[in-house]
Amino acid sequence: MKLVGRVLLSLGVLLLVAAVVLAALGVWFVRRPWPQVDGSLSVAGLTAPVEVIRDQWGVPHIYAENEADLLFANGYVHAQDRLWQMEFNRRVASGTLSAALGEATLGTDRFLRTLGLRRAAEKDWALVDDETRVILEAYARGVNAYIETHRDRLPLEFTILGVEPAPWTPVDSLAWGKVMAYYLSNNLDFELLRARLIAELGEDAAQQLVPSYPEGGPFIVPPEAGGYAWLRGKDVQPAASDLDLGQGRLDWGSNNWVVHGSRTGSGMPLLANDMHLGLDMPSIWYEIGLHGGRFDSIGYSFPAVPMVIVGHNARIAWAVTNLPADVQDLYIERLDDPNDPTRYEFQGEWHDLEVVQEVLEVKDGEPVPLEVHITRHGPIINDIVDGLEDGEPLALRWTALDGTRLFHAVSGLNLATDWNEFREALRSWDVPSQNFVFADVEGNIGYQSPGLIPIRAAGHDGTVPVPGWTGEYEWQGYIPFDELPRAFNPPTGFLVSANNKVVSDEFPHFLGADWSAPYRAQRITDLLAADDDVTLEDMREIHGQTYSLPAEALRPYLLNAQASGAAETSALDLVRDWDLYLEADRPGASVFEVWYWFLVQNTFRDELGDDLLEQYLDFSSSHVPALIELMAEAESPWFDDVRTAAVESRDDIVSQSLADAAGWLRDNYGQDPEEWQWGRLHTKTFVHNPLGQSGIGVLEALFNSDTIPANGDNFTVNAASFGYGGSFAMGGGVSQRYVADLSDWDNSRSVHTTGQSGQLFHKHREDFIPLWQDVEYHPMLFSREAVQAEAEGTLLLTPP
């Protein structure tokens, strides 16, 4: 027995030693790709030393003697922390995901290669001016310097997926700009929805389901903010049509606002921004400070492109939201042979299609050929959009597919020192259309909308597909930059944009019809109008706002519902006691949101059918204002379920929806209504691309964040969007928050969703999540003294 005991003891010791060795190897393997942040590194490609000081939040502040080295280090630092994200983003933009991930992503590659984002980026590269070329090339050299010296220490994703990064090129950076333009241009979806609604129900019904911008909703630049006097005497474009089918789905929104010093506690402007985008692991954003040559900026960058996209320099601050101008049109084409086309008709003549032969490489599979047909309007998209396969040929005309000058504008913003230079920089901001707010150290505030916005022929408002063969619906150029909306030091003392309608109908140019519902803009405007002594804390409170204006409008109808059981009575009590804030601990918020989901279905399913209703549910910025308007008419035909013999009224549908909601909540979240807190339904998990969606439990647990409760919804200032499809899990939403204090740059605040690092288990991979969840920030340090006081590591990059 003693011998057995010794053997077992020895075996236990060996197993323990093996476990320790394996753990050590695991730690070494995981930590090996982590970036060096202290000491010095010799890096080929530099001409002079560059200092990279990382603060305690992992934000690098780069100090260089010249611009070429500064932008080189910009690329190097991005690669240190986010190389896999950069590789994944490059593959998205180029439509080459399947070469790394296999046939599961073929549909995505086919879609992106048909649109031709990479081809469009190559057009941009051909038009790049010399100054921008130098910047993009320096950045690419920095990325490549990191890749070449770290091929044996690449992030784990490369090892797991068996991928080797190719050298980075300037076109890779330009292509990411095209991806963002695609994310922010949704007119294609609007046109297809409208066309289907009109075909199924007629124009009047479509107008009700996709209503115009609500009367009384705020404008970003109302006439009283300075008027439109600069357009007097101009030959400008009237709105093209009386058919205004209004707002639809806006997955990517944002808020920004700027307050003049006459309304702040410090006497100097405050500027705020929170951009609403997809929320992945790691964050889409990367904070960085750039100091060298002419550059002296801090703010948010994209890992894939150089410079600061949103932030401030020593003189000005700027922030952006998406301007949903109509920059896409669908054209119905006539082809010589629908099955094997070679030509298309235009104004009575036949023209050769441009044919692009693409090959989709597939990991562990055979290459897949792809033939793209392109007319004068753009690529034919029938094969890449569900439901269009057997329809008339549709070509997509889109400003982003032409040659554009985006990065010339980005460098201009980083270097601008006043309002005039700021506006001059934005002349080159062709795509995507955005709402910019501005503040400077002289105390000025302003707004400018840049972008290529088409002037359409009379009778064409861009809301539905039009014939492409007649020549009647061609674009007539673009609205001149100096005729786009702007405001400078408005008498209101503040400016707000939240994807809402930019200008009133007095404005003589037609910008588009697809405005976000005005609830976020209205809430911010109301709060600022009521406060003439705005502080940094007030800006934070606005960022965190979850008060629901739609619930304020709809709750009275819900409270009049007829409860038919104890669960429904309890549910109504919860809604009655609810303060209309969509906080995670509020069960009344859950009752309201689930009731609303059933209200939409019970009101419209009989007219739309299952498939069209599913499509319509995605357009919450349409059906919410549509239902608010309809609720005022108790006997509206929309409330009658045409599938039954009875004639249902609004009150019948409201009560039925309450019963459905209470039943659904009881089945999914238990019998006790007090346990139906909003944060149990409405959660967020930051998901890694692609391993967090691999279906392999161990990888998903390693690479994704924990699931956390989320506040807000699709229409709160603290935006946390979800789809109305049976899950209330958060999809997109606030991707960052930023407040610039023009009285003291070091008093500015910022945060994004996850953390600066993309490296597994790194301390800065998820350290921002608690701050983001609680609407807190970290200091956005700018002065070198403040940076050094909070330094976590200092790395000196030197030439060989």
Side-chain angles (χ1 to χ4, degrees):
M1 293 297 293
K2 290 182 179 180
L3 179 60
V4 173
R6 291 195 196 99
V7 170
L8 290 175
L9 178 61
S10 299
L11 181 59
V13 170
L14 287 172
L15 289 173
L16 178 61
V17 170
V20 171
V21 170
L22 286 173
L25 285 172
V27 169
W28 175 85
F29 188 65
V30 168
R31 291 179 63 97
R32 187 168 169 76
W34 289 6
Q36 180 178 338
V37 299
D38 260 322
S40 64
L41 278 173
S42 175
V43 182
L46 289 172
T47 64
V50 175
E51 194 172 18
V52 181
I53 304 175
R54 278 182 163 82
D55 64 29
Q56 64 175 291
W57 299 278
V59 178
H61 304 262
I62 304 174
Y63 299 89
E65 296 178 15
N66 60 75
E67 288 176 23
D69 286 345
L70 178 71
L71 277 303
F72 178 102
N74 185 175
Y76 191 91
V77 166
H78 274 173
Q80 278 190 305
D81 285 326
R82 300 285 190 89
L83 185 60
W84 171 253
Q85 183 184 35
M86 295 171 69
E87 175 69 20
F88 186 84
N89 289 347
R90 165 165 59 180
R91 290 181 176 276
V92 170
S94 301
T96 58
L97 287 169
S98 300
L101 306 179
E103 63 180 12
T105 53
L106 266 175
T108 301
D109 283 349
R110 187 178 291 111
F111 182 87
L112 294 166
R113 296 278 274 276
T114 299
L115 288 186
L117 301 189
R118 180 83 186 191
R119 296 192 299 272
E122 289 166 352
K123 289 183 184 178
D124 286 7
W125 180 237
L127 297 175
V128 159
D129 61 278
D130 290 342
E131 182 179 293
T132 307
R133 184 179 297 270
V134 169
I135 289 171
L136 290 167
E137 288 177 338
Y139 178 85
R141 288 197 303 273
V143 176
N144 290 329
Y146 181 82
I147 291 173
E148 288 307 312
T149 55
H150 289 75
R151 287 195 178 275
D152 61 341
R153 287 170 285 169
L154 295 172
L156 289 179
E157 293 93 335
F158 289 97
T159 303
I160 292 170
L161 294 168
V163 173
E164 283 285 330
W168 194 265
T169 72
V171 175
D172 294 327
S173 296
L174 294 173
W176 180 246
K178 300 299 181 183
V179 173
M180 291 308 302
Y182 174 73
Y183 284 159
L184 298 170
S185 302
N186 291 310
N187 307 112
L188 167 64
D189 296 330
F190 297 135
E191 288 196 33
L192 293 174
L193 175 69
R194 292 184 181 109
R196 189 170 178 189
L197 288 172
I198 291 170
E200 296 285 341
L201 303 172
E203 287 190 6
D204 289 344
Q207 175 69 59
Q208 288 182 283
L209 291 173
V210 190
S212 303
Y213 191 70
E215 188 174 348
F219 305 113
I220 297 172
V221 185
E224 60 268 25
Y228 312 132
W230 72 88
L231 288 173
R232 287 189 189 127
K234 302 283 188 180
D235 181 16
V236 296
Q237 167 207 12
S241 169
D242 292 333
L243 180 63
D244 180 7
L245 287 174
Q247 69 256 350
R249 191 184 83 198
L250 291 175
D251 289 330
W252 314 113
S254 296
N255 306 311
N256 66 23
W257 62 96
V258 61
V259 185
H260 192 270
S262 60
R263 300 182 65 90
T264 70
S266 70
M268 287 295 287
L270 289 169
L271 176 147
N273 198 189
D274 54 287
M275 292 177 279
H276 309 161
L277 295 165
L279 307 181
D280 299 321
M281 173 66 76
S283 168
I284 194 171
W285 296 109
Y286 183 89
E287 294 184 53
I288 196 166
L290 299 174
H291 311 279
R294 295 172 299 164
F295 286 85
D296 191 18
S297 307
I298 180 76
Y300 292 92
S301 67
F302 287 123
V305 303
M307 299 176 289
V308 169
I309 305 298
V310 170
H312 73 79
N313 58 32
R315 299 285 303 173
I316 75 166
W318 68 95
V320 304
T321 68
N322 192 36
L323 191 166
D326 193 343
V327 298
Q328 294 177 329
D329 277 337
L330 288 173
Y331 287 88
I332 306 165
E333 305 287 17
R334 278 184 178 170
L335 305 180
D336 58 348
D337 182 348
N339 297 315
D340 187 20
T342 60
R343 296 185 300 167
Y344 67 96
E345 183 182 350
F346 183 72
Q347 292 185 326
E349 296 182 0
W350 290 96
H351 300 262
D352 290 338
L353 285 164
E354 180 185 352
V355 179
V356 177
Q357 302 290 347
E358 301 271 7
V359 177
L360 308 180
E361 300 293 337
V362 182
K363 184 178 183 180
D364 300 325
E366 295 296 319
V368 176
L370 174 67
E371 189 171 271
V372 182
H373 295 149
I374 303 173
T375 74
R376 67 188 294 113
H377 301 118
I380 294 176
I381 63 169
N382 294 65
D383 291 340
I384 59 170
V385 177
D386 290 343
L388 296 184
E389 298 87 349
D390 298 322
E392 295 181 286
L394 288 177
L396 175 64
R397 179 82 167 95
W398 178 28
T399 54
L401 299 183
D402 300 329
T404 57
R405 305 165 295 162
L406 175 63
F407 285 91
H408 181 71
V410 174
S411 64
L413 286 172
N414 279 255
L415 301 173
T417 63
D418 58 24
W419 171 247
N420 290 331
E421 290 182 7
F422 168 77
R423 291 193 65 241
E424 192 61 32
L426 291 179
R427 286 182 187 277
S428 300
W429 189 288
D430 298 329
V431 175
S433 299
Q434 298 286 278
N435 299 300
F436 278 81
V437 294
F438 159 96
D440 68 20
V441 294
E442 301 298 326
N444 301 302
I445 67 171
Y447 165 90
Q448 177 70 56
S449 59
L452 295 176
I453 301 176
I455 297 174
R456 292 177 170 82
H460 177 31
D461 64 2
T463 56
V464 292
V466 293
W469 66 89
T470 67
E472 299 174 78
Y473 301 99
E474 299 303 293
W475 292 357
Q476 310 297 306
Y478 302 101
I479 301 173
F481 177 78
D482 286 326
E483 296 175 17
L484 291 170
R486 68 178 187 264
F488 186 66
N489 290 332
T492 53
F494 61 87
L495 290 158
V496 175
S497 85
N499 320 112
N500 52 312
K501 192 171 181 178
V502 180
V503 287
S504 74
D505 291 339
E506 295 178 32
F507 191 77
H509 282 298
F510 178 74
L511 301 181
D514 305 323
W515 310 111
S516 180
Y519 310 120
R520 286 181 287 115
Q522 188 67 66
R523 185 63 175 165
I524 298 169
T525 299
D526 290 346
L527 292 169
L528 290 176
D531 188 352
D532 59 3
D533 191 24
V534 180
T535 65
L536 201 71
E537 178 59 23
D538 294 327
M539 303 292 263
R540 189 194 74 82
E541 289 183 5
I542 295 174
H543 264 153
Q545 271 288 316
T546 63
Y547 186 83
S548 173
L549 288 175
E552 180 185 281
L554 290 169
R555 179 167 65 172
Y557 302 104
L558 173 55
L559 293 179
N560 283 331
Q562 297 299 309
S564 59
E568 293 169 37
T569 299
S570 297
L572 284 178
D573 288 341
L574 291 172
V575 173
R576 188 175 290 108
D577 295 339
W578 178 39
D579 61 3
L580 299 180
Y581 284 83
L582 283 150
E583 295 292 312
D585 63 350
R586 309 292 205 269
S590 298
V591 175
F592 172 80
E593 293 284 10
V594 178
W595 166 79
Y596 176 80
W597 173 47
F598 279 106
L599 180 70
V600 180
Q601 297 177 79
N602 291 334
T603 301
F604 298 124
R605 186 183 299 278
D606 56 323
E607 289 90 0
L608 299 183
D610 293 343
D611 291 343
L612 187 50
L613 175 65
E614 183 178 354
Q615 183 181 358
Y616 183 56
L617 282 170
D618 282 341
F619 290 74
S620 59
S621 203
S622 291
H623 56 69
V624 169
L627 267 172
I628 288 174
E629 188 173 332
L630 281 175
M631 294 296 272
E633 187 180 345
E635 305 301 325
S636 169
W638 287 106
F639 294 117
D640 177 38
D641 188 340
V642 299
R643 300 167 297 184
T644 69
V647 177
E648 289 83 6
S649 68
R650 175 198 65 202
D651 295 343
D652 296 324
I653 299 300
V654 166
S655 297
Q656 178 61 53
S657 300
L658 172 63
D660 293 338
W664 187 90
L665 284 163
R666 189 170 54 245
D667 291 344
N668 288 277
Y669 292 93
Q671 298 293 317
D672 183 1
E674 294 290 344
E675 297 297 316
W676 298 345
Q677 294 95 344
W678 181 228
R680 292 187 64 202
L681 283 68
H682 191 47
T683 61
K684 180 58 191 171
T685 305
F686 295 97
V687 176
H688 179 275
N689 282 318
L691 298 177
Q693 306 170 67
S694 64
I696 302 171
V698 172
L699 288 179
E700 292 187 355
L702 282 174
F703 283 91
N704 293 345
S705 74
D706 291 338
T707 298
I708 59 176
N711 301 317
D713 75 350
N714 301 36
F715 301 105
T716 53
V717 176
N718 187 2
S721 64
F722 58 87
Y724 289 91
S727 170
F728 293 87
M730 183 178 173
V734 175
S735 65
Q736 54 76 244
R737 297 185 183 97
Y738 151 55
V739 180
D741 185 346
L742 278 289
S743 71
D744 179 0
W745 290 125
D746 287 331
N747 196 40
S748 300
R749 298 289 185 265
S750 64
V751 73
H752 57 78
T753 49
T754 56
Q756 286 287 96
S757 178
Q759 305 277 10
L760 191 64
F761 298 132
H762 194 282
K763 67 178 181 178
H764 291 309
R765 187 173 188 260
E766 300 186 34
D767 56 328
F768 283 176
I769 293 177
L771 295 174
W772 173 85
Q773 186 181 21
D774 294 338
V775 195
E776 299 290 349
Y777 316 90
H778 67 80
M780 192 180 202
L781 305 176
F782 186 62
S783 70
R784 183 151 184 161
E785 295 77 15
V787 170
Q788 288 178 321
E790 297 289 352
E792 182 178 82
T794 301
L795 178 66
L796 186 66
L797 303 176
T798 63

